[in-house]
């Protein structure tokens, strides 16, 4: 239904106390302006254009070492891409090469040491892959004075902290998280270089990158409205649409899709299990103690809501603490927000005994929400604040809960919408640039809000819900663009300032 049709329907809707009511049985797509009286001219929501999301669940749910997908997972992948590109250079160019230099800009530079970006780049240049990364090596790379060697294209290179240049000035690159990797000759001239952008959630691209060679999606959609229209037109559930697209774009079968989803489920589950056994301080420049185990033990002694909320929070804390310590986690949609979805997933899996197939379907619906948010706004704290990380994670977790428990597409969307709506405006202000405060506890709140969003969505009359996901995503994008840079993962605003003694 377009806006005009909706206004016509609204005009026919019942009136109570002078207020327009949403017609029964009609999906909510915007509150009629007529209900609100005088408004400034020109305030109009623009729906996303028709499009096709070509990113996949495999792109979204990546496994890699913490603490930050944009600052660790993407840099490892970027360094691996550069390594492969250098190895493919003609022999005469490689013969002139003397060293590799990496210059970091924006948030990567401002908070990269706290986020382990230096270690991630060195690990990637040493040939590590995110999903199989040796986390002990990542710990050892803390000593950036140590010189390590690697062979690329048959040529030996030395790598150390001196490989990195931290450019702390303003920049005009199109993405907040930019790094330039250069292969230099002995006289310092550039033989080969690429300008890379870490775009959030472990995604990256580079200047002039050709479009990837992939299949076309079976179902074309660029927003939740378009996805819902596709579901209505085909009679397919949301997860089936996602599955069809995943297979078509990646050129794989259902068993391979399930293998990846199972790896995601098992990694999330293991993150909770391990995190609940650990105690003591987390690595970082100030002493922050783990608390997941203690919160879990206290929840086990409590009753009712205190028991449930304590347990759900402890699951999120467990994964986030592991992520802060550099353990492998799943980008959902990022590693800073890696604890929110596992808390809900663990609850569905271990407490509610939801079958594996339903968990996969839930992940697919959550993936749809994450990909739509990334396409129409962002999932990077450096671009749009924490609303784009924990807010999107909470929306994904709410969709996971709804879909895995058999909710309709409308209820699933409403649950995601409610969760995201109540994170709007949340800034990214990590203390010292470390993914510790406020990040770890924020994951617990993301999980609690997801659960509450699901409760509201499944118990209200779905068609009476005014807000829709696309409009809330548009509000997130507007709030993100209005947010000052210091409140977008620079570590120089908000709690990053007020919690630090001068
Ligand atoms: S404050 Fe939020 S967005 Fe920023 S690093 Fe922490 S979890 Fe990520």
């Amino acid at each position: 239904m377009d806006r005009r049709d909706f206004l016509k329907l609204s005009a026919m809707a019942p009136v109570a106390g002078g207020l327009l009511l949403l017609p029964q049985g009609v999906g909510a797509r915007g509150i009629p302006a007529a209900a609100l009286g005088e408004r400034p001219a020109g305030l109009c929501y623009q729906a996303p254009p028709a499009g096709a999301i070509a990113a996949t669940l495999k792109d979204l749910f990546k496994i890699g070492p913490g603490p930050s997908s944009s600052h660790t997972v993407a840099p490892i992948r970027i360094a691996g891409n550069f390594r492969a590109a250098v190895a493919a250079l003609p022999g005469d160019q490689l013969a002139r090469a003397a060293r590799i230099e990496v210059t970091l800009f924006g948030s990567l530079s401002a908070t990269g040491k706290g986020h382990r970006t230096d270690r991630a780049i060195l690990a990637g240049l040493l040939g590590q892959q995110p999903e199989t990364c040796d986390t002990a090596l990542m710990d050892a790379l803390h000593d950036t004075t140590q010189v390590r060697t690697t062979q690329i294209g048959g040529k030996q290179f030395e790598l150390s902290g001196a490989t990195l240049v931290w450019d702390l000035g303003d920049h005009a690159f199109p993405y907040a998280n930019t790094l330039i990797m250069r292969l230099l000759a002995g006289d310092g001239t550039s033989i080969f270089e690429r300008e890379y952008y870490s775009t959030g959630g472990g995604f990256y691209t580079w200047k002039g990158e050709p479009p990837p060679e992939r299949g076309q999606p079976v179902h074309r959609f660029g927003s939740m409205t378009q996805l819902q229209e596709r579901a209505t037109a085909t009679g397919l559930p949301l997860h089936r649409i996602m599955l069809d697209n995943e297979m078509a774009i990646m050129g794989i079968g259902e068993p391979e899709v399930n293998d990846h989803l199972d790896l995601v489920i098992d990694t999330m589950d293991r993150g909770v299990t391990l995190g609940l056994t650990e105690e003591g301080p987390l690595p970082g420049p100030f002493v922050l103690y783990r608390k997941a185990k203690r919160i879990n033990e206290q929840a086990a002694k409590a009753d009712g809501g205190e028991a449930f909320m304590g347990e759900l929070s402890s699951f999120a804390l467990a994964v986030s603490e592991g992520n802060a310590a550099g353990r492998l986690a799943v980008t959902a949609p990022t590693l800073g927000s890696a604890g929110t979805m596992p808390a809900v997933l663990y609850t569905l899996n271990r407490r509610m005994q939801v079958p594996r197939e339903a968990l996969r379907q839930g992940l697919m619906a959550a993936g749809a929400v994450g990909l739509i948010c990334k396409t129409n706004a962002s999932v990077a704290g450096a671009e749009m604040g924490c609303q784009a990380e924990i807010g999107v994670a909470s929306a994904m977790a709410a969709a996971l809960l709804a879909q895995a428990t058999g909710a309709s597409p409308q209820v699933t969307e409403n649950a995601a919408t409610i969760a995201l709506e109540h994170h709007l405006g949340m800034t990214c202000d990590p203390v010292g640039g470390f993914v510790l405060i406020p990040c770890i506890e924020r994951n617990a709140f993301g999980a609690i809000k997801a659960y509450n969003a699901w409760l509201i969505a499944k118990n209200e009359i779905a068609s009476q819900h005014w807000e829709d996901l696309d409009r809330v995503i548009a509000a997130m994008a507007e709030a993100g663009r209005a947010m000052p840079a210091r409140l977008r993962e620079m570590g120089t605003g908000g709690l990053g300032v007020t919690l630090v003694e001068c």
Side-chain angles (χ1 to χ4, degrees):
M1 180 191 314
D2 69 17
R3 185 176 176 79
R4 252 192 347 217
D5 291 340
F6 182 76
L7 287 172
K8 273 190 235 155
L9 272 167
S10 299
M12 295 185 284
V15 175
L19 294 178
L20 286 165
L21 300 182
L22 192 70
Q24 288 279 338
V26 175
R29 287 292 180 267
I31 297 167
L36 305 175
E38 282 291 303
R39 297 172 77 229
L43 289 183
C44 276
Y45 163 72
Q46 298 291 326
I53 294 176
T56 64
L57 297 167
K58 195 159 188 191
D59 297 326
L60 181 69
F61 294 124
K62 292 180 288 294
I63 294 164
S68 163
S69 42
S70 55
H71 290 61
T72 48
V73 175
I76 294 179
R77 299 177 72 213
I78 286 169
N81 176 278
F82 187 75
R83 197 185 147 92
V86 168
L89 288 175
D92 61 322
Q93 291 189 24
L94 268 173
R96 289 197 296 122
R99 64 189 175 90
I100 291 169
E101 181 183 272
V102 184
T103 307
L104 300 101
F105 301 89
S107 167
L108 283 181
S109 182
T111 65
K113 287 181 182 155
H115 282 69
R116 297 183 169 210
T117 304
D118 44 358
R119 304 184 214 187
I121 290 170
L122 294 176
L125 288 173
L126 288 166
Q128 295 285 316
Q129 306 288 329
E131 49 287 343
T132 53
C133 186
D134 178 353
T135 51
L137 172 67
M138 286 287 280
D139 288 342
L141 286 168
H142 176 60
D143 180 4
T144 51
T145 61
Q146 193 177 339
V147 177
R148 295 164 195 272
T149 57
T150 189
Q151 294 271 340
I152 306 178
K155 178 116 186 171
Q156 183 159 302
F157 291 92
E158 291 188 344
L159 301 170
S160 71
T163 305
L164 304 161
V165 178
W166 305 88
D167 188 317
L168 289 170
D170 293 338
H171 71 72
F173 297 111
Y175 291 89
N177 288 324
T178 296
L179 64 149
I180 297 179
M181 306 197 80
R182 294 187 177 93
L183 182 69
L184 300 176
D187 62 2
T189 55
S190 177
I191 298 169
F192 172 75
E193 65 182 64
R194 261 185 195 163
E195 184 177 305
Y196 289 97
Y197 313 117
S198 169
T199 59
F203 287 87
Y204 75 95
T205 184
W206 72 82
K207 189 176 181 181
E209 182 186 14
E213 288 179 15
R214 287 183 156 191
Q216 291 296 313
V218 177
H219 308 284
R220 293 177 61 81
F221 68 88
S223 66
M224 180 54 83
T225 304
Q226 293 161 28
L227 175 57
Q228 295 281 14
E229 287 168 355
R230 187 71 189 156
T232 303
T234 59
L236 295 173
L238 299 184
H239 63 83
R240 182 69 224 188
I241 290 175
M242 296 303 293
L243 178 62
D244 287 349
N245 277 4
E246 189 79 4
M247 292 191 293
I249 295 170
M250 301 293 289
I252 56 178
E254 189 169 342
E256 287 85 1
V257 177
N258 285 341
D259 284 349
H260 180 66
L261 295 175
D262 287 347
L263 183 63
V264 168
I265 292 168
D266 293 340
T267 305
M268 288 183 172
D269 191 89
R270 191 165 52 248
V272 176
T273 306
L274 279 173
L276 291 179
T277 65
E278 293 172 330
E279 292 177 289
L282 289 161
F286 53 90
V287 178
L288 183 69
Y289 284 94
R290 291 173 169 89
K291 57 184 139 196
K293 182 169 182 279
R294 181 175 165 77
I295 303 292
N296 188 264
E297 288 167 353
Q298 296 303 316
K301 296 178 197 161
D303 299 314
E306 187 176 338
F308 176 77
M309 287 178 68
E311 188 174 65
L312 186 62
S313 297
S314 74
F315 298 160
L317 295 170
V319 176
S320 296
E321 289 169 359
N323 174 66
R327 181 181 296 138
L328 294 184
V330 181
T331 57
T334 64
L335 287 187
S337 57
T340 298
M341 271 192 53
V344 165
L345 188 98
Y346 197 87
T347 301
L348 286 163
N349 190 20
R350 304 283 189 132
R351 297 291 179 264
M352 296 164 70
Q353 310 292 325
V354 170
R356 173 67 55 139
E357 182 54 25
L359 295 179
R360 291 182 190 137
Q361 293 174 2
L363 274 185
M364 288 190 257
V369 170
L371 290 172
I372 290 167
C373 287
K374 172 156 179 60
T375 302
N376 296 302
S378 173
V379 295
E383 289 183 8
M384 297 200 168
C386 200
Q387 57 173 356
E389 291 203 16
I390 298 290
V392 173
S394 187
M396 291 168 67
L400 164 66
L401 268 165
Q403 181 72 59
T405 53
S408 69
Q410 182 72 66
V411 169
T412 301
E413 177 184 348
N414 288 355
T417 304
I418 294 167
L420 184 61
E421 181 183 350
H422 301 296
H423 283 89
L424 289 182
M426 194 159 74
T427 58
C428 171
D429 47 1
V431 174
F434 290 82
V435 189
L436 296 170
I437 299 173
C439 315
I440 292 172
E441 285 181 3
R442 280 208 177 151
N443 279 274
F445 280 85
I448 295 284
K449 283 192 191 179
Y451 203 90
N452 200 19
W454 172 61
L455 287 182
I456 292 173
K458 78 169 185 164
N459 290 316
E460 69 176 347
I461 296 171
S463 61
Q464 290 185 349
H465 197 82
W466 280 116
E467 303 89 333
D468 65 81
L469 187 65
D470 294 330
R471 287 168 191 267
V472 174
I473 292 172
M476 176 171 77
E478 190 202 351
R481 284 191 292 269
M483 217 175 262
R486 69 179 190 281
L487 295 173
R488 289 186 275 120
E489 210 168 355
M490 295 298 283
T492 53
L495 295 171
V497 170
T498 62
L499 292 186
V500 180
E501 281 196 21
C502 287

